[in-house]
Amino acid sequence: AQSVTQLDSHVSVSEGTPVLLRCNYSSSYSPSLFWYVQHPNKGLQLLLKYTSAATLVKGINGFEAEFKKSETSFHLTKPSAHMSDAAEYFCVVSVTGGGYQKVTFGTGTKLQVIP
Amino acid sequence: DGGITQSPKYLFRKEGQNVTLSCEQNLNHDAMYWYRQDPGQGLRLIYYSQIVNDFQKGDIAEGYSVSREKKESFPLTVTSAQKNPTAFYLCASSSRQAYGYTFGSGTRLTVV
């Protein structure tokens, strides 16, 4: 069994300040972890992924996330928020077995960036 | 460029009508998925297909049907049995070799 919890449904930051979106997961097997971003009325775009290589993962648009097995966390960060970062972000856990993926989505965190 | 195309972008349905949402991919991915997205509920899996001519129910399959006659195509029909179909529908695909999904841009269905 696997699950993912996004600890905040809404996060508000000022432009130019750091962003922290929190994600905790549980999995019986070694998981792959992802962050996706969704702008209004659009599909989801992959920001970054962890697949058992380096624990600090760098993604697009200056985002990065650190896999912490001891804390079962995969928090998303960015040093300085930009107005274009305002969107909804989804943390996803995936376990692969038999050649196929079992994927579980978090409920999303809406990021508001204040000018 | 490879990707997933969903059409139409917006769809309006009258009560009691069936409607079909299109999803086509040219990524040569084996697996395809349909998700429903409602505000505050994240993504919920409707149906998925791992190979042609085979598909399985997800968490909320009631009132929906799918087919997978071609690798590239995975249409979703929202039937009149679906009591609350107004939502944003997302199609995705994945391969065995790569991690993660590729998503389409979605179809917003509204019952009028």
Side-chain angles (χ1 to χ4, degrees):
Chain A
Q2 62 195 57
S3 67
V4 58
T5 302
Q6 292 185 241
L7 297 164
D8 306 291
S9 58
H10 290 83
V11 169
S12 183
V13 301
S14 297
E15 189 176 18
T17 65
V19 176
L20 170 63
L21 305 182
R22 298 182 295 165
C23 173
N24 283 64
Y25 71 92
S26 67
S27 175
S28 303
Y29 304 95
S30 296
S32 298
L33 294 158
F34 308 80
W35 277 99
Y36 287 85
V37 61
Q38 184 182 32
H39 289 91
N41 292 311
K42 301 289 186 185
L44 277 68
Q45 180 187 15
L46 181 65
L47 271 180
L48 50 80
K49 61 185 176 185
Y50 165 77
T51 57
S52 76
T55 57
L56 182 61
V57 181
K58 294 188 184 297
I60 61 172
N61 301 334
F63 284 95
E64 62 181 39
E66 185 171 7
F67 174 70
K68 292 186 176 181
K69 186 175 181 179
S70 60
E71 299 176 10
T72 61
S73 69
F74 191 58
H75 301 335
L76 182 70
T77 61
K78 183 173 181 178
S80 176
H82 191 272
M83 294 299 296
S84 61
D85 295 327
E88 190 160 18
Y89 293 79
F90 291 92
C91 183
V92 179
V93 61
S94 171
V95 173
T96 301
Y100 298 103
Q101 301 179 55
K102 167 66 175 174
V103 173
T104 303
F105 285 81
T107 52
T109 298
K110 286 189 176 176
L111 176 64
Q112 179 186 21
V113 182
I114 302 167
Chain B
D1 288 338
I4 296 183
T5 301
Q6 288 188 243
S7 61
K9 189 171 178 66
Y10 298 95
L11 185 58
F12 297 90
R13 190 194 90 170
K14 292 183 180 179
E15 297 268 1
Q17 278 186 339
N18 292 355
V19 291
T20 297
L21 284 59
S22 171
C23 178
E24 303 276 335
Q25 55 102 355
N26 61 3
L27 299 164
N28 200 34
H29 284 174
D30 293 305
M32 297 186 74
Y33 312 82
W34 274 105
Y35 284 90
R36 171 178 170 143
Q37 187 176 27
D38 297 280
Q41 296 194 46
L43 276 69
R44 293 183 290 169
L45 182 63
I46 305 172
Y47 269 98
Y48 65 102
S49 168
Q50 294 172 335
I51 56 172
V52 175
N53 292 323
D54 188 48
F55 48 83
Q56 286 79 40
K57 293 181 179 180
D59 302 317
I60 56 164
E62 185 175 351
Y64 300 97
S65 66
V66 294
S67 63
R68 186 89 186 275
E69 297 176 0
K70 298 186 301 182
K71 188 175 185 178
E72 301 80 18
S73 179
F74 192 42
L76 173 74
T77 296
V78 184
T79 74
S80 57
Q82 170 49 240
K83 298 305 179 187
N84 185 23
T86 294
F88 191 53
Y89 291 87
L90 286 161
C91 180
S93 70
S94 68
S95 73
R96 299 191 193 198
Q97 293 75 31
Y99 294 97
Y101 286 178
T102 300
F103 281 89
S105 56
T107 293
R108 184 163 296 282
L109 173 63
T110 303
V111 173
V112 296

